Amino acid sequence: SVPFASATLRQALRSPTFWVFALSISLFGLVSSGISLFQEDIFLSLGLQKKVFFHCQLIGLGVGLLSNFFTGWLARKISPQLILSIALAVFAGSLMTLPLLRTPQQAYLQATVFALAGGAIVVLFYLIWIHAYGPQNVGKIQGAVQWMTVIASAFGPPIVIRGSALF
């Protein structure tokens, strides 16, 4: 249900839903851009072969697409807020396991979980705005969030580089 007949960008910016989704999705973009750019190096530093990285990329593509479809279907049945909460928790869990990977099977499982969560978060990025604020200004609202996610994603690689220097 839409709380406004159709919200303006200003109304959206004053609502908690905007900030919860915008900041969550921006943080996802920050983390996933850094991890994705350096995933091959991360795997090699963990003693995993280059072919494991390539297999994980294929797994991520397939599982991510399936997650997109499933999330779109699921969002018609339960609240997007609940789906986002679950997806972010699963995403965080997949990130926590990343430094623990030692075998190809562990990497494949981590890639599957990472892609499930990521696929859901990506769908929610596009889905939530019309659901929460109506159709009239959805382009402006989504544009503001897109701007935030692009800026956040630009910080991902430098943060990963700085983080890797700590280890």
Side-chain angles (χ1 to χ4, degrees), residues 1-9 11-21 127-138 141-142 145:
S1 67
V2 177
F4 309 97
S6 202
T8 64
L9 174 59
Q11 288 171 316
L13 289 171
R14 289 192 302 245
S15 74
T17 298
F18 177 88
W19 291 105
V20 166
F21 273 83
L127 176 90
I128 188 60
W129 311 114
I130 199 162
H131 174 78
Y133 302 112
Q136 188 171 354
N137 296 299
V138 73
I141 294 166
Q142 193 171 2
V145 178

Side-chain angles (χ1 to χ4, degrees), residues 50-112:
K50 194 172 192 168
K51 70 177 182 177
V52 174
F53 163 74
F54 289 118
H55 290 148
C56 285
Q57 294 298 299
L58 291 173
I59 289 168
L61 178 63
V63 171
L65 286 171
L66 290 173
S67 179
N68 291 161
F69 290 119
F70 179 69
T71 301
W73 172 81
L74 189 61
R76 298 173 144 252
K77 311 258 182 232
I78 63 174
S79 90
Q81 293 88 340
L82 178 60
I83 299 170
L84 180 66
S85 299
I86 293 167
L88 288 170
V90 170
F91 182 70
S94 77
L95 292 174
M96 290 182 347
T97 65
L98 190 58
L100 305 174
L101 302 179
R102 296 295 178 263
T103 68
Q105 293 76 20
Q106 291 171 339
Y108 302 149
L109 179 59
Q110 191 273 343
T112 300

